[in-house]
Amino acid sequence: MKKIGSLANEKGSRLVLALDVSGENGVETLRRMSVRLSDHIVGVKIGMPFVLSTPLSLLKPVIEEQSEDLVFIADAKLADVSHVNALTSEVLFNAGFDAVISHGFIGCDGGLDGAKQVALRLNKGLLVLVSMSHPASVGIIDRALTEIVREALMVEPDGIVAPATRPEVVSRVRKMLPEGMLMLSPGVGAQGAPFGSAIRAGADYEIVGRTIYGSQDPPAAAAAAVEEQRRAREG
Amino acid sequence: MKKIGSLANEKGSRLVLALDVSGENGVETLRRMSVRLSDHIVGVKIGMPFVLSTPLSLLKPVIEEQSEDLVFIADAKLADVSHVNALTSEVLFNAGFDAVISHGFIGCDGGLDGAKQVALRLNKGLLVLVSMSHPASVGIIDRALTEIVREALMVEPDGIVAPATRPEVVSRVRKMLPEGMLMLSPGVGAQGAPFGSAIRAGADYEIVGRTIYGSQDPPAAAAAAVEEQRRAREG
């Protein structure tokens, strides 16, 4: 996961593409978008519907082709016990992913720790999700936010994930993180948060999906997003 | 999911096999175990490491071969927002699975509801996990247990999943469920809970893994488990 910082500096971008397509054309879309957007984005986050509907033997060469220029994140939302999370992570890391996202609410002991051990062993990254964007997240998950962040930090993650659609959560989480801890924030664009807004709230990277890959001109849409991010960082 | 009840009566069994193998031989193990254990078990629960490392095109025919005699449950531990859970469920249902397991902690509104809609449309089942067996579950998850069960019931699930390793949780959850709601309980056998113990605590089905598939004589191990379950139900 160290490379995300150097890619960000090199490209002047804090943008990660969320590619939530599925079906037969998924791999081709991934290949095309990775190539076309490589100058504008630092990574690609891929959801489980895509991963499940694509044989990993087809996914792996596409990831490998771009592995120097992009960070590939599996949005697995791991939420099992330790040894199952470890096995799932290992399958994803072996398919070429640089990092996996796990839920923090499972806690560290017997939950997050398995995936972390695999990440350390394979020199990969573990990102921990501490809140979500949907209405019911405000109930059970956010009431436990302080504890979830505390458990997430116990595993010494490579980054924290919190939703851009709720900037007050992003700000609150940032205050709980040690200096230099990466924060990635999905939900920017079509889901409602304006470009740059999560960065203003304290995130390091914004994760944008349909607004870019569904655009008539994805590179232009990505460049516009990066420009908004730059303003947010300078503001 | 209606067939689980008739299979249970027909076979006199309340046993579900948890098959948590992965790698190249996974499909062959699934085929062999399904055939050998078909008289003793009502279903097979398959974890994500297996599903991810097996192209669904290879998994589907094995499931279809046994679909009259066994219920196939994908232990996806869904924990994403609604539309992603819906897409993931659809991929799994289309691969032949009869039911998927989702986490209850994500809540109903914008969380569980997506997978439920897909299950209804495809005449499949949604099972909701309300607690887990690992040490950290006692913290964040179990402190919210009442709310998690309430959110789970809002989606009108086809069953609830709670860990046999914590019989007090199984009993507590059973008291919160409406009459006739199915409860499945993993963690029996190698993970520590004796055969029959989850049934005594209020579960309808016990999910057993390594103790059966790792045994020298899996059918005999399954038959012994079923016998213990019968005693528990009669006791």
Side-chain angles (χ1 to χ4, degrees):
Chain A
M1 280 302 291
K2 277 166 200 147
K3 77 177 179 183
I4 198 168
S6 53
L7 288 172
N9 290 337
E10 199 180 293
K11 299 180 184 186
S13 166
R14 298 292 184 275
L15 194 60
V16 172
L17 179 72
L19 203 59
D20 286 322
V21 296
S22 61
E24 286 175 18
N25 299 323
V27 166
E28 199 36 49
T29 305
L30 172 63
R31 189 195 309 268
R32 205 175 55 243
M33 286 295 159
S34 300
V35 172
R36 289 187 72 189
L37 296 173
S38 182
D39 289 346
H40 305 287
I41 61 177
V42 295
V44 183
K45 175 179 83 75
I46 301 177
M48 289 313 271
F50 183 157
V51 176
L52 279 171
S53 56
T54 307
L56 298 181
S57 57
L58 296 183
L59 188 55
K60 189 173 180 171
V62 179
I63 292 180
E64 283 177 345
E65 250 173 54
Q66 296 287 322
S67 68
E68 296 287 306
D69 298 319
L70 294 170
V71 169
F72 287 88
I73 301 168
D75 193 359
K77 292 196 173 63
L78 298 176
D80 213 312
V81 294
S82 201
H83 77 275
V84 179
N85 294 336
L87 288 171
T88 302
S89 304
E90 186 149 10
V91 171
L92 294 167
F93 291 144
N94 286 338
F97 284 103
D98 299 293
V100 298
I101 297 178
S102 176
H103 260 294
F105 85 96
I106 55 172
C108 185
D109 187 7
L112 290 162
D113 46 11
K116 179 63 186 186
Q117 283 160 23
V118 175
L120 282 173
R121 176 161 53 82
L122 301 177
N123 197 24
K124 302 279 188 169
L126 175 67
L127 306 174
V128 181
L129 176 67
V130 297
S131 177
M132 297 174 74
S133 60
H134 65 294
S137 180
V138 180
I140 297 167
I141 298 175
D142 282 10
R143 245 172 279 160
L145 185 62
T146 306
E147 273 176 287
I148 293 174
V149 173
R150 195 186 306 143
E151 291 284 331
L153 293 176
M154 280 171 66
V155 83
E156 300 185 1
D158 299 278
I160 293 288
V161 183
T165 45
R166 316 243 307 286
E168 73 286 1
V169 171
V170 173
S171 300
R172 216 180 121 198
V173 171
R174 173 52 78 193
K175 291 194 187 88
M176 291 187 257
L177 301 184
E179 186 73 26
M181 173 65 69
L182 279 190
M183 196 189 337
L184 295 89
S185 196
V188 177
Q191 282 185 54
F195 296 127
S197 62
I199 287 177
R200 279 193 188 88
D204 299 297
Y205 295 91
E206 293 183 333
I207 305 176
V208 185
R210 282 164 284 171
T211 315
I212 292 174
Y213 71 74
S215 151
Q216 294 267 332
D217 185 346
V226 168
E227 185 49 37
E228 287 298 327
Q229 291 186 325
R230 192 172 295 133
R231 269 185 226 148
R233 282 157 55 212
E234 287 166 0
Chain B
M1 280 303 290
K2 277 165 201 148
K3 76 176 180 183
I4 199 169
S6 53
L7 288 172
N9 290 336
E10 199 181 293
K11 299 180 182 185
S13 166
R14 297 292 184 276
L15 194 61
V16 172
L17 178 73
L19 202 59
D20 287 321
V21 296
S22 62
E24 285 175 19
N25 298 322
V27 167
E28 198 37 47
T29 304
L30 173 62
R31 190 196 307 269
R32 204 174 57 242
M33 285 295 159
S34 300
V35 172
R36 290 187 73 190
L37 296 173
S38 182
D39 291 345
H40 305 288
I41 61 176
V42 297
V44 184
K45 176 178 83 74
I46 301 177
M48 290 313 272
F50 184 156
V51 175
L52 278 171
S53 55
T54 307
L56 298 181
S57 57
L58 296 183
L59 187 56
K60 189 174 181 172
V62 179
I63 291 180
E64 282 176 345
E65 250 173 54
Q66 297 286 322
S67 68
E68 297 287 306
D69 298 319
L70 295 170
V71 169
F72 287 89
I73 301 167
D75 194 359
K77 292 198 174 61
L78 298 176
D80 213 312
V81 295
S82 202
H83 78 274
V84 179
N85 295 335
L87 288 171
T88 303
S89 304
E90 186 149 11
V91 171
L92 294 167
F93 291 144
N94 287 338
F97 284 103
D98 298 293
V100 299
I101 297 178
S102 176
H103 260 295
F105 85 95
I106 55 172
C108 185
D109 187 7
L112 290 163
D113 46 10
K116 179 64 185 182
Q117 283 159 23
V118 175
L120 282 173
R121 176 160 55 80
L122 301 177
N123 196 26
K124 303 279 189 171
L126 175 66
L127 307 174
V128 181
L129 176 68
V130 297
S131 176
M132 296 173 75
S133 61
H134 64 294
S137 180
V138 180
I140 298 168
I141 298 175
D142 282 9
R143 244 173 279 161
L145 185 62
T146 306
E147 275 176 286
I148 293 174
V149 173
R150 195 187 304 143
E151 292 284 331
L153 293 176
M154 281 172 66
V155 84
E156 299 185 3
D158 298 277
I160 293 288
V161 183
T165 44
R166 314 244 308 287
E168 72 287 0
V169 172
V170 173
S171 301
R172 218 181 120 196
V173 171
R174 172 51 78 192
K175 291 194 186 86
M176 292 188 256
L177 301 184
E179 185 72 26
M181 174 64 70
L182 279 189
M183 197 192 333
L184 296 90
S185 196
V188 177
Q191 281 185 55
F195 296 127
S197 62
I199 286 177
R200 280 194 188 87
D204 300 298
Y205 295 90
E206 293 184 333
I207 305 176
V208 185
R210 280 164 285 170
T211 315
I212 292 175
Y213 72 73
S215 151
Q216 293 268 332
D217 184 347
V226 169
E227 184 51 35
E228 287 297 327
Q229 291 186 324
R230 192 173 295 134
R231 269 183 227 151
R233 282 158 55 213
E234 286 166 1

